[in-house]
Amino acid sequence: MVERLRIAVVGTGPWWGREHARVFSRRPDVELCAIVGRTLERAEERTAEFPARPYADLSEMLDREKPDLVSVCLPNEAHFEPTMQVIEAGVPLLVEKPFVFELDEADRLLAAAAQRGLFFAINFNHRYARPVVLASEAIGRGDLGRIVFATWRFGGEAGTSAHPHANLIETQCHGLDMLEHLCGPIRSVMAQMTDVTGRGYSSHAIALGFESGAVGSLLGSYDTSYAYPGTHHLEVNGTEGRLLVEDTVRRFTLSRSGDETRQVWEAGYFNDRERDFHALFEVYVDRMLAAFRAGQQPPIHATAGRRALQLAHASIRSFESGERVVVTGTPTPEDLRGAS
């Protein structure tokens, strides 16, 4: 029998905080040992639903529970200090996106974790959608030929963050990560943004240049609605074919150049799991915990969060300067460990 991992969740939000508690509480190989909230009342409300010990003090929880891994799922602009606290306690961890909002904070977190040799994962769960997996496989087989251009469009309503570039940093980090995941490194960005709604730069269009020579675009917005059909659209076009991913989990389409027939994937009648966006986190946790038990690096290391943030900040500089910005690489976990 596999020994159960003791995992604590930091965060009691009604959306992803609850998802983290739900997923870890239902795994037979995990003991959800603690939930930390901003108040003890909030923690107790969550532990009434998913049995665990409630805490309002993160340090107290770390001292008493000594978890094997901590899952940090907090409001987007409140990530840095609790994440650093977990790292300084020497506890392996999973964090939600966005990593943080500032690059210097990202570098401090990564360096502190590398110094301690910690397992440090981030949840870019979009990578595990069945249409995205099929897209990655098609590109890997060479079905598209040489990639020429790629487009990401994703829009919905604003959250609670007050940062003027919240949409770009906390939501379009998925697009920046996904485009590099499928198409390789982004070499340059040039951005247009608008604040016509008075809610910061809540819509933006970014032209991308990839190291491969391909070009791309990212269109993101908090000035639309998740209720609209076609909220998310991902297209990758190559010399031999084109693929589409619609609404992340809804549909994958592969077309061959000059061929009027198409290959399409959609979840079947009984396949509720692969049409369920929330199930993507469960799939990622499967992969993440398998890597953790094997003593391996996370399937998606926190450096991926730093990279998305780097691309976002380059886009902000481009908009502010009116010029194209060239983007260099981001440190790997090995680089950080060697520098610590």
Side-chain angles (χ1 to χ4, degrees):
M1 182 176 178
V2 176
E3 183 179 355
R4 297 173 77 196
L5 294 170
R6 290 169 51 77
I7 295 180
V9 171
V10 179
T12 55
W15 186 250
W16 280 105
R18 186 181 182 279
E19 274 299 290
H20 281 233
R22 180 188 69 83
V23 169
F24 287 119
S25 70
R26 293 185 179 182
R27 292 186 64 95
D29 60 343
V30 166
E31 176 193 349
L32 180 62
C33 62
I35 295 176
V36 182
R38 279 177 286 180
T39 67
L40 187 59
E41 181 182 22
R42 288 172 66 97
E44 288 174 340
E45 288 175 357
R46 184 55 47 79
T47 57
E49 185 178 8
F50 304 107
R53 283 169 289 283
Y55 291 86
D57 187 291
L58 177 55
S59 294
E60 180 186 5
M61 185 279 289
L62 293 169
D63 289 342
R64 288 190 178 184
E65 299 293 341
K66 295 180 171 47
D68 298 307
L69 185 140
V70 170
S71 182
V72 182
C73 186
L74 291 165
N76 288 328
E77 292 182 271
H79 286 190
F80 176 73
E81 290 184 3
T83 303
M84 183 61 85
Q85 198 171 343
V86 174
I87 290 170
E88 290 178 340
V91 181
L93 68 165
L94 162 70
V95 296
E96 265 297 340
K97 64 83 199 168
F99 190 21
V100 282
F101 277 71
E102 301 300 331
L103 277 168
D104 65 327
E105 292 183 344
D107 290 339
R108 288 166 61 190
L109 292 173
L110 289 167
Q115 184 179 15
R116 294 162 176 80
L118 292 180
F119 182 94
F120 194 2
I122 191 167
N123 179 30
F124 279 140
N125 56 332
H126 287 228
R127 291 195 197 184
Y128 290 89
R130 184 62 178 159
V132 175
V133 172
L134 291 171
S136 179
E137 291 173 350
I139 291 170
R141 288 192 305 266
D143 291 349
L144 272 60
R146 182 170 182 177
I147 294 174
V148 178
F149 69 82
T151 297
W152 167 282
R153 176 174 54 78
F154 186 40
E157 300 94 358
T160 58
S161 297
H163 195 282
H165 295 286
N167 179 258
L168 176 59
I169 292 172
E170 70 186 19
T171 295
Q172 305 309 326
C173 58
H174 280 298
L176 295 167
D177 176 72
M178 183 64 65
L179 288 167
E180 288 206 321
H181 173 61
L182 294 176
C183 304
I186 293 169
R187 179 62 174 165
S188 66
V189 297
M190 192 162 185
Q192 295 283 359
M193 304 184 184
T194 182
D195 60 353
V196 295
T197 61
R199 298 194 296 261
Y201 294 103
S202 50
S203 291
H204 46 263
I206 303 170
L208 310 169
F210 292 88
E211 276 191 8
S212 66
V215 295
S217 65
L218 183 148
L219 177 63
S221 179
Y222 274 161
D223 303 318
T224 178
S225 175
Y226 292 118
Y228 296 162
T231 287
H232 169 251
H233 175 95
L234 169 64
E235 175 181 355
V236 182
N237 190 95
T239 55
E240 302 296 330
R242 181 186 76 163
L243 63 83
L244 300 177
V245 172
E246 298 172 72
D247 287 340
T248 309
V249 296
R250 187 163 68 89
R251 182 184 296 119
F252 164 83
T253 304
L254 175 64
S255 302
R256 312 280 184 166
S257 180
D259 188 346
E260 294 178 343
T261 63
R262 292 180 293 277
Q263 176 184 336
V264 178
W265 177 91
E266 292 179 299
Y269 182 82
F270 291 109
N271 189 4
D272 292 330
R273 181 177 175 84
E274 290 190 314
R275 79 173 98 249
D276 181 3
F277 178 84
H278 293 89
L280 301 183
F281 181 55
E282 298 175 19
V283 176
Y284 178 55
V285 168
D286 286 343
R287 309 294 195 279
M288 182 198 69
L289 293 184
F292 180 68
R293 288 183 181 277
Q296 300 169 351
Q297 291 285 354
I300 308 177
H301 193 276
T303 51
R306 197 267 186 198
R307 175 61 176 177
L309 182 64
Q310 179 187 20
L311 292 166
H313 275 271
S315 300
I316 294 166
R317 292 200 308 275
S318 170
F319 170 66
E320 291 174 344
S321 68
E323 298 179 349
R324 183 170 68 96
V325 172
V326 175
V327 188
T328 58
T330 197
T332 67
E334 291 72 24
D335 293 334
L336 292 161
R337 188 174 294 110
S340 61

